[in-house]
Amino acid sequence: MAFHEYIDNVNVITNPVVTDLNICVFSSTTANCELDPRKWHPIKKDLHLYKSQQHAWLYVALANERELDDGDLVVTDIRVSRTPPDSSSDHSWESRPGGIWILKNKFRGMVDLAVTEVDVLFGVDAVDPRPQWNLLQSSLQLTDQPKVPLARLTVLHGRDTPRPDARAALRVRRDGKFKIVQISDTHMVTGVGVCEDAIDALGNPLPASEADPLTVKFLGGVLDVEKPDLVILTGDQLHHDIPDSQSALFKVVAPIIKRSIPFAAVFGNHDSEGEHALGRE
């Protein structure tokens, strides 16, 4: 089966529960694994960020929660490390490619204890602001890894639910005011990025530094000072032609979500530029 056939052949699983993980490596003509597309589903991100002659993709085996029996094994924990994690379970950790270790237990109808979704983000500065998702600190251990932001797994147990402190509706304050903060042109990238033209308060040039962490810190400071009722992102949240828009966009919205501030966004021209950019739809 060709590379594009693996990636495009996807069946939607409702009420998913993760039963296994694997990493497949593809060249332009060959693949290193044969997986049943009815069971295995790709995370559509090249773990090498399209900078290698080979493509590596994470595949997740999924089952419908309602079709599982009490004795069926499901994944209940995922780690990434060079050695097996310590286990307090009756079951042993199982090794998978990329330094992935999975722990399986019998389902027993308790979906909150099972891993239900797995995703991939990139970079040491990656964040996952989605409720109940856990971004693993260790990056995947891949062979022939090019010099790109490293891939990291992020994992959801159970079903995601709204944050209990999320605001239900926009409301004018008791003093009759409603404050909006507009954020534009953050130009986030995949990975930390480089700021090469920073200056100090007197206009003197500063050494090159990591760009995105500075931007995130600045955004958090503005939100803490202004305490807005609404944040509006008005375009060019992302730099053009970056390999993973999700990792970059999460860094923009994480400070807002952390503070439970409602927000809305529109895209600028850079947000949808590039082969792997977000679509405007």
Side-chain angles (χ1 to χ4, degrees):
M1 184 177 288
F3 165 69
H4 67 87
E5 292 176 312
Y6 268 104
I7 300 306
D8 292 339
N9 194 359
V10 178
N11 296 311
V12 176
I13 299 293
T14 57
N15 307 301
V17 175
V18 175
T19 60
D20 209 342
L21 296 179
N22 202 347
I23 291 177
C24 287
V25 179
F26 303 87
S27 68
S28 59
T29 57
T30 61
N32 74 341
C33 55
E34 294 286 341
L35 300 176
D36 184 349
R38 295 169 298 180
K39 173 183 176 182
W40 289 92
H41 302 262
I43 305 300
K44 295 187 177 181
K45 299 182 180 184
D46 182 3
L47 301 179
H48 294 315
L49 288 176
Y50 316 98
K51 296 296 184 180
S52 173
Q53 293 182 347
Q54 292 184 326
H55 300 279
W57 297 76
L58 177 71
Y59 275 75
V60 182
L62 298 174
N64 188 324
E65 173 191 350
R66 296 175 182 174
E67 297 175 358
L68 290 170
D69 296 324
D70 286 349
D72 290 337
L73 291 176
V74 299
V75 176
T76 55
D77 202 357
I78 299 173
R79 306 283 179 85
V80 175
S81 64
R82 297 189 181 278
T83 58
D86 294 333
S87 178
S88 58
S89 169
D90 294 335
H91 297 271
S92 299
W93 289 90
E94 300 178 18
S95 176
R96 296 294 183 268
I100 297 173
W101 296 87
I102 61 173
L103 186 66
K104 292 185 178 183
N105 284 282
K106 293 181 179 180
F107 178 55
R108 303 192 189 285
M110 301 176 66
V111 71
D112 288 344
L113 301 179
V115 174
T116 54
E117 293 188 55
V118 180
D119 204 350
V120 179
L121 298 174
F122 295 87
V124 295
D125 64 331
V127 292
D128 194 336
R130 294 174 291 186
Q132 300 168 232
W133 283 79
N134 177 36
L135 177 62
L136 304 188
Q137 292 302 310
S138 298
S139 60
L140 294 176
Q141 300 159 19
L142 305 173
T143 58
D144 300 322
Q145 176 69 44
K147 291 184 178 180
V148 296
L150 299 178
R152 297 163 61 188
L153 299 185
T154 181
V155 177
L156 174 67
H157 281 83
R159 305 295 177 208
D160 53 351
T161 56
R163 287 174 52 137
D165 58 346
R167 301 183 193 180
L170 301 178
R171 299 185 184 279
V172 175
R173 301 178 186 181
R174 291 183 178 180
D175 61 4
K177 296 180 179 180
F178 187 87
K179 181 180 286 189
I180 299 174
V181 164
Q182 177 191 358
I183 298 173
S184 178
D185 293 275
T186 53
H187 284 271
M188 293 292 196
V189 298
T190 309
V192 296
V194 179
C195 180
E196 297 179 336
D197 54 0
I199 58 175
D200 63 18
L202 300 177
N204 300 312
L206 295 173
S209 57
E210 296 178 344
D212 284 10
L214 290 176
T215 302
V216 171
K217 182 179 179 180
F218 174 77
L219 293 178
V222 169
L223 297 176
D224 289 339
V225 170
E226 298 296 339
K227 295 180 171 54
D229 301 292
L230 175 67
V231 173
I232 299 181
L233 302 166
T234 53
D236 289 352
Q237 285 77 243
L238 312 181
H239 201 53
H240 61 85
D241 199 23
I242 59 176
D244 185 55
S245 297
Q246 184 184 20
S247 295
L249 188 59
F250 276 4
K251 291 186 288 187
V252 180
V253 300
I256 307 170
I257 294 174
K258 179 181 179 181
R259 292 162 176 80
S260 300
I261 303 171
F263 68 95
V266 295
F267 284 166
N269 61 303
H270 288 299
D271 294 312
S272 59
E273 287 180 347
E275 182 180 356
H276 309 291
L278 294 170
R280 285 184 175 270
E281 293 78 11

